[in-house]
Amino acid sequence: MTIRVALYHETTYHFDRPVTLSPHEVRLRPAAHCRTPIDSYSLRVSPAKHFVNWQQDPYGNFVARLVFPEKTRELKVVVDLVADMTVINPFDFFLDKSAEHFPFDYTDTTKRELAPFLEVDPLTPRLAAWIETFRRERLGAPVAMADLLVDLNQRVQHAVRYIVRLEPGVQTPEDTLDKASGSCRDSAWLLVQILRSLGLAARFVSGYLIQLAPDVKPIDGPAGPTADFTDLHAWAEVFLPGAGWVGLDATSGLLAGEGHIPLAATAQPSSAAPITGWTDVCEVTFGFEMRVTRVHEDPRVTKPYTDAQWTRIEALGD
């Protein structure tokens, strides 16, 4: 069944006086490695009198550089996109023979190419103890790479209680483990640092998360969202030879699927900020709106018979 959705994302800054805006960088366009098909995309900016130059940053992320020639009392950035939510199997990847089990080594060439994503911050006490416990409990012998990723991702999810945190910036992994709580960006950065400490190249990802309410409630397991939902989100990606970058969502403990739309993937969280820039000194009121709407949905096909009944019918026909 195919479902296409329209995502609307509006960010507004109201200033208490006319202000000069510096050049602003906007990272709100789906990245080149996005697996979810994007049928259409538009970026609208107010004030109307501005210049836009699309470019790519050192990581290959799309960046709209905005220049404003006149003072203004409002800055508004609006994204509209249509995404095809056909189900993506997050385990649909192949690994090089050398990387099927952990530990493995990247080739010298690959290590040089991945250097920014292998940089590890100095280990702090809680983080070092967490990693040592994981090594002792899980890495006593070679382990299948997919099993390792699932286990590690879920352990981080269990260790960090998700909270909505309005303070700017990202917590250090030490703070996140100490508080045992954090936002999605805090869990993502913690997972990135753990992966790098294990010798795996990892990067921080900022993007959209789309979650659709199920048509039929599951008999077992989590019920999922009760209504269609979208928000800005953060997760981690790990580089595996043969598979490339694989997304891990430490907030849910799941691998990234069709609902994860990456916008920027970077070595440091600060480089993935959706909008950056400055203004004259002023008072500002921040506004934010996001919504997702189903614009096309193939009708569900209900089987007239169960598989067992079809088997019986076919046997009678023979």
Side-chain angles (χ1 to χ4, degrees):
M1 182 174 70
T2 298
I3 300 176
R4 281 195 292 276
V5 300
L7 183 149
Y8 178 86
H9 176 202
E10 176 185 303
T11 307
T12 308
Y13 303 87
H14 294 284
F15 311 111
D16 68 340
R17 68 200 73 179
V19 297
T20 298
L21 299 177
S22 75
H24 277 53
E25 293 183 344
V26 177
R27 300 171 186 84
L28 291 173
R29 177 175 165 182
H33 73 289
C34 178
R35 298 175 68 191
T36 303
I38 305 300
D39 294 339
S40 65
Y41 173 85
S42 72
L43 176 71
R44 291 179 285 128
V45 177
S46 175
K49 197 168 185 179
H50 67 271
F51 304 96
V52 59
N53 177 34
W54 280 103
Q55 51 191 237
Q56 287 181 282
D57 67 12
Y59 304 107
N61 302 304
F62 297 113
V63 180
R65 187 175 188 272
L66 306 172
V67 176
F68 304 93
E70 298 179 353
K71 290 188 175 184
T72 183
R73 296 192 65 144
E74 179 186 81
L75 171 62
K76 180 184 291 186
V77 178
V78 177
V79 171
D80 283 291
L81 65 80
V82 175
D84 186 335
M85 297 293 287
T86 301
V87 175
I88 293 173
N89 178 3
F91 293 96
D92 185 18
F93 57 79
F94 295 94
L95 295 172
D96 284 351
K97 191 73 174 176
S98 63
E100 289 181 349
H101 291 82
F102 182 87
F104 70 87
D105 287 324
Y106 297 111
T107 65
D108 291 341
T109 298
T110 303
K111 281 182 182 178
R112 286 195 295 270
E113 295 170 340
L114 293 173
F117 309 108
L118 288 165
E119 286 188 4
V120 182
D121 292 343
L123 283 179
T124 49
R126 286 184 181 276
L127 179 58
W130 197 99
I131 294 172
E132 179 56 34
T133 299
F134 181 75
R135 287 184 183 277
R136 183 176 64 253
E137 295 179 353
R138 197 70 174 89
L139 303 180
V143 57
M145 197 66 235
D147 293 342
L148 171 73
L149 295 181
V150 169
D151 187 16
L152 179 59
N153 196 33
Q154 291 184 347
R155 286 186 185 223
V156 173
Q157 190 265 337
H158 292 149
V160 182
R161 178 176 58 87
Y162 173 73
I163 60 173
V164 176
R165 195 171 64 80
L166 300 180
E167 298 85 358
V170 177
Q171 293 178 171
T172 66
E174 188 76 0
D175 283 343
T176 300
L177 289 174
D178 182 44
K179 298 174 181 177
S181 66
S183 66
C184 57
R185 61 189 185 276
D186 302 319
S187 295
W189 185 234
L190 170 61
L191 181 54
V192 166
Q193 286 296 309
I194 293 172
L195 288 164
R196 292 181 185 178
S197 296
L198 296 175
L200 297 170
R203 62 187 185 182
F204 180 90
V205 183
S206 171
Y208 292 126
L209 176 65
I210 299 174
Q211 293 181 292
L212 301 181
D215 294 331
V216 179
K217 291 184 179 180
I219 297 175
D220 262 332
T226 57
D228 296 346
F229 168 83
T230 187
D231 204 352
L232 283 170
H233 194 50
W235 59 95
E237 288 180 349
V238 60
F239 187 84
L240 304 177
W245 293 102
V246 175
L248 304 171
D249 188 341
T251 302
S252 65
L254 303 174
L255 271 66
E258 66 279 357
H260 294 77
I261 300 177
L263 300 172
T266 59
Q268 297 290 328
S270 57
S271 300
I275 302 175
T276 57
W278 54 263
T279 72
D280 295 335
V281 176
C282 65
E283 294 292 331
V284 60
T285 302
F286 175 74
F288 179 86
E289 180 183 356
M290 293 192 71
R291 60 177 182 264
V292 62
T293 307
R294 302 191 190 202
V295 295
H296 173 84
E297 187 169 359
D298 289 341
R300 292 179 63 239
V301 177
T302 304
K303 292 182 179 180
Y305 304 104
T306 65
D307 291 341
Q309 288 171 327
W310 272 120
T311 300
R312 177 62 176 161
I313 291 169
E314 289 170 353
L316 290 173
D318 292 340

